[in-house]
Amino acid sequence: MTLDDAEDLRRRIKALEAENVRLEALVAADVSRRKRTEMALAEREERYHTLFDSIDEGFCIIEFIDGPHGPLSDYIHVEANPAYAQHAGIPNVVGRKVRDMVPDEADGWVELYAGVLRTGVPVRFERELIATGRHLELAAFRIDPPGRRQVAVLFQDITARKGAEAALQQLNETLEARVVEAIAERKILADIVEGTNAFVQVLDNEFNWLAINSASAGEFERIFGVRPKAGDNMLGALKNQPEHRAALATIWQRALAGEEFIEIGEFGDPSRDRRHYEMRFNALRNVGGEQIGAYQFAYDVTERLREQARLLDAEEALRQSHKMEAVGQLTGGIAHDFNNLLTGIIGSLELLQTRLSQGRLSEIDRYVTAAQGASKRAAALTHRLLAFSRRQTLDPRPTDVNRLVMGMEELIRRTVGPQIALEVVTAGGLWPALIDPSQLESALLNLCINARDAMPEGGRITIETANKWLDDRAAKERDLPPGQYLSLCVTDTGTGMTPDVIARAFDPFFTTKPIGQGTGLGLSMIYGFVRQSGGQVRIYSEVGHGTTMCLYLPRYYGTAADAGAGDDRAEVVQAQTGRTILIVDDEPSVRMLVIEVLEELGYAVREAKDGPTGLRMLQSGGHIDLLITDVGLPGGMNGRQLADAARVTRPDLKVLFITGYAENAIIGNGQLGPGMRVLTKPFVMDTLARRVLDMIGEQ
């Protein structure tokens, strides 16, 4: 090989090496382009699937296949987005044939989409998917080239819209009939409002009439001289009548502020025919609940009120007649009984005076005894009258009614006699009552005597106690406030009472007993005593089956004391000297007798005839151990006021009230303060002496 050949070979080798480098560079560039292409394809694929899965409408790609019914007789779902199941109501359709999914509807769907595949013409249509009952709106187009045999379908569920369209169509079809019906209803309502005897007005929030019927317009014109119509302003119509304008504005403002109420108003000329109206106001609201005005229904109630007034006058006249009849019966009975008693007292005193002048001292005792007996019966009569009128002075104490009843059981047995069976049923855990125990004993004995008299052939008396919770209904039936009460009932198996007798049973001097066998004051005394004590008496009776008399007494929240415990001592002991008593009474004879008894006991006694005089003596600084005062005193100061004023400077002063008549308010509603006692007139001097010794002995 020559040098030239070698050089030529070297050049060829270099050329080959350069070509090889160039070829390697070309290969490397081609790999880089392929990788970029693959990455771009991957990105496009990702964007496609993201878009595919995010479409709100249902989307699928179907591919036709040859089936048992021939070429292109079935298709398979090759792709479907998540919204497919939401709109079509069929999940997991990828890989499933249409004839497997909806066999009854497959022919129609295949025919429709095969036409798109053959012609390449897109279609848009609506169809009901019978399998799920949904209405779908669809669009379909061919995916080229045709040889792929694929069709894309885009759809959405329009079931709700189709329902609304159907409802709207039905509404449109019936709208005319409904309009006719509504017009007829409004006409009927308008005819009713126009034809009613009520005066109907409707105002907006600016006092403009929205509506007014003819009756109201005519009445408005009659009263105010202006005939209104819809659209007028009420305040403007009355601009020349400021008084009426202000009155109507005031009452309508309440209605326009949302208040619903009934008002009785008077309008018209007082010198001529002034009329009364019952006006009912209500708020007027729109469909959103916002108040847009108010309406009024007014009625002329003048004649009704006049008739009511006439009836009330007649009732008052009847009540007055009954009252005068009762007063006549009461005064006649009082006069009869007191005349008998006074005859015994006056006659005994006259004979006593005659026998003293004759020196026949041996006969004095029986006249004194007769006079004392008549006096005591007169005192009992006044006590019954005061009990009936609820004016007696009570001495209420916490009382165990069960113990009181059981303590009287033997006395009642002896009183009613052996022909009457007595049964006592006491309730366990009976509440105590704040009551005058002696008055309750008297009431119970009186009820048992009445029960005995109702059973002349014998029978059974049942005394029963119980706790009672009276709710609103039960309390109203018994004319009592709701609350807790205890009942004391006496039941007999006697002749019973008619409704007329029950209605008059508590009237004074009313009795069904023969003349001379009853005063007619027993039940009236019980009624007055129980009512004064805050309770009630009720009669339950049936002719031929017996009677139950029930006393309802308010519960006392505390501990009951021994019932019926006496305060008077068996005998009077001589008082210690050095004690001073002030007696205040406007009756000189009472002062004289009290002073004589007290001085005989060894007390120093001072006296006053009225409250102011007694107060000056109490404020003078002299020593006084006990104040004895009447409750009803002249001079502008009663006994309770005197005692309260005296205790300002003498807080520990003992006070004994003596009274024949006292309002509860004077005694303090039956509640006396510490160191205060009551003694009811008339009283025997021994009782006064015992009470004074007890009170001073407490010091």
Side-chain angles (χ1 to χ4, degrees), residues 445-680:
L445 184 60
N446 201 316
L447 291 178
C448 291
I449 291 173
N450 284 351
R452 177 202 65 188
D453 294 343
M455 299 181 290
E457 304 300 325
R460 175 180 295 276
I461 295 176
T462 302
I463 303 173
E464 188 173 3
T465 62
N467 292 328
K468 300 287 185 181
W469 281 82
L470 300 184
D471 57 17
D472 289 338
R473 181 187 60 80
K476 186 176 182 180
E477 290 174 354
R478 293 164 176 80
D479 192 21
L480 285 169
Q484 296 179 346
Y485 296 82
L486 58 147
S487 64
L488 172 60
C489 298
V490 175
T491 301
D492 64 62
T493 57
T495 56
M497 303 165 66
T498 65
D500 291 342
V501 172
I502 293 174
R504 301 189 61 192
F506 299 126
D507 290 351
F509 296 105
F510 173 78
T511 179
T512 58
K513 297 177 182 178
I515 296 175
Q517 295 187 21
T519 65
L521 280 174
L523 286 180
S524 64
M525 177 194 71
I526 294 171
Y527 180 80
F529 151 65
V530 174
R531 292 297 283 162
Q532 188 176 349
S533 302
Q536 183 61 280
V537 186
R538 279 292 178 264
I539 302 174
Y540 308 95
S541 185
E542 185 176 350
V543 175
H545 292 82
T547 299
T548 296
M549 302 286 296
C550 277
L551 312 184
Y552 294 92
L553 306 173
R555 176 185 180 180
Y556 172 72
Y557 293 87
T559 304
D562 291 343
D567 292 325
D568 296 338
R569 298 183 179 180
E571 46 183 66
V572 178
V573 297
Q574 189 66 25
Q576 297 179 354
T577 59
R579 301 299 181 100
T580 302
I581 298 175
L582 172 62
I583 170 69
V584 183
D585 200 299
D586 60 323
E587 178 57 49
S589 61
V590 173
R591 295 202 307 272
M592 180 268 292
L593 292 171
V594 172
I595 290 172
E596 187 168 327
V597 170
L598 295 178
E599 287 181 342
E600 197 171 291
L601 290 173
Y603 294 113
V605 183
R606 303 175 66 183
E607 63 176 305
K609 64 179 180 179
D610 55 37
T613 304
L615 183 59
R616 285 193 295 271
M617 297 174 69
L618 287 163
Q619 293 175 341
S620 64
H623 180 74
I624 295 177
D625 296 280
L626 174 66
L627 168 65
I628 300 176
T629 178
D630 193 1
V631 174
L633 291 173
M637 177 179 287
N638 64 46
R640 182 58 189 258
Q641 292 168 336
L642 170 62
D644 291 340
R647 283 196 164 189
V648 174
T649 55
R650 298 173 182 264
D652 298 325
L653 178 66
K654 300 277 186 177
V655 181
L656 175 61
F657 295 105
I658 55 175
T659 180
Y661 172 89
E663 292 280 359
N664 276 341
I666 295 176
I667 297 300
N669 239 358
Q671 303 297 317
L672 298 175
M676 292 182 176
R677 302 288 293 277
V678 176
L679 184 62
T680 304

Side-chain angles (χ1 to χ4, degrees), residues 201-212 229-235 248-249 252-258 281-285 290-296:
Q201 300 184 61
V202 185
L203 267 63
D204 66 14
N205 292 326
E206 304 300 325
F207 293 90
N208 298 311
W209 274 291
L210 297 176
I212 182 168
K229 62 180 184 299
D232 290 349
N233 185 273
M234 174 184 284
L235 302 184
L248 288 179
W252 273 98
Q253 280 170 349
R254 293 170 56 191
L256 293 174
F281 290 88
N282 294 84
L284 177 68
R285 304 181 185 278
E290 179 185 3
Q291 183 172 355
I292 59 174
Y295 59 93
Q296 173 208 72

Side-chain angles (χ1 to χ4, degrees), residues 116 274 389 520 610 691:
V116 173
R274 191 164 181 83
S389 62
D610 55 37
R691 189 62 57 86

Side-chain angles (χ1 to χ4, degrees), residues 131-151:
T132 61
R134 300 189 182 191
H135 287 270
L136 303 178
E137 183 181 60
L138 305 103
F141 57 91
R142 185 177 68 189
I143 300 176
D144 291 328
R148 299 179 63 177
R149 303 207 295 185
Q150 289 183 345
V151 174

Side-chain angles (χ1 to χ4, degrees), residues 84-90 127-136 157-159:
Y84 186 105
Q86 175 186 343
H87 288 276
I90 303 175
R127 177 170 289 190
E128 181 183 3
L129 187 59
I130 299 175
T132 61
R134 300 189 182 191
H135 287 270
L136 303 178
D157 184 359
I158 59 169
T159 306

